[in-house]
């Protein structure tokens, strides 16, 4: 998965880590799924967690990235270069 994603979005992870060094590998995986515009229900089985677990992870990721609740997290990551 990671290899294919890096081919499509070559510097995404590097740029994300450069700007937000506190992100964990799980955070990066969630960012990749959100950048692919997957829904919470689609992400849950891919990460082997519940839908509620994905929602909590999204909330914590939003805090780490400094995004308030009025801004769409997926749109932020899709536009992130």
């Amino acid at each position: 998965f990671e290899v294919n994603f890096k081919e499509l979005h070559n510097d995404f992870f590097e740029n994300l880590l450069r700007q937000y060094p506190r992100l964990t590998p799980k955070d990066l995986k969630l960012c990749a799924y959100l950048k692919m515009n997957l829904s919470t229900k689609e992400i849950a089985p891919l990460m082997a967690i519940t839908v509620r677990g994905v929602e909590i992870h999204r909330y914590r990721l939003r805090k780490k990235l400094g995004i308030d609740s009025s801004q769409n997290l997926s749109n932020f990551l899709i536009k992130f270069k």
Side-chain angles (χ1 to χ4, degrees), residues 26-73:
K26 268 191 168 180
D27 292 336
L28 293 174
K29 188 179 250 189
L30 179 60
C31 288
Y33 291 143
L34 292 170
K35 186 167 179 74
M36 291 164 39
N37 209 16
L38 296 179
S39 71
T40 299
K41 286 182 180 177
E42 293 169 319
I43 294 170
L46 295 173
M47 293 185 76
I49 57 177
T50 64
V51 171
R52 182 71 181 134
V54 175
E55 290 169 353
I56 292 167
H57 202 114
R58 286 175 66 120
Y59 171 77
R60 291 183 181 146
L61 179 62
R62 187 182 290 278
K63 285 177 74 174
K64 284 184 182 180
L65 298 178
I67 300 170
D68 65 20
S69 58
S70 66
Q71 192 175 2
N72 185 304
L73 182 58

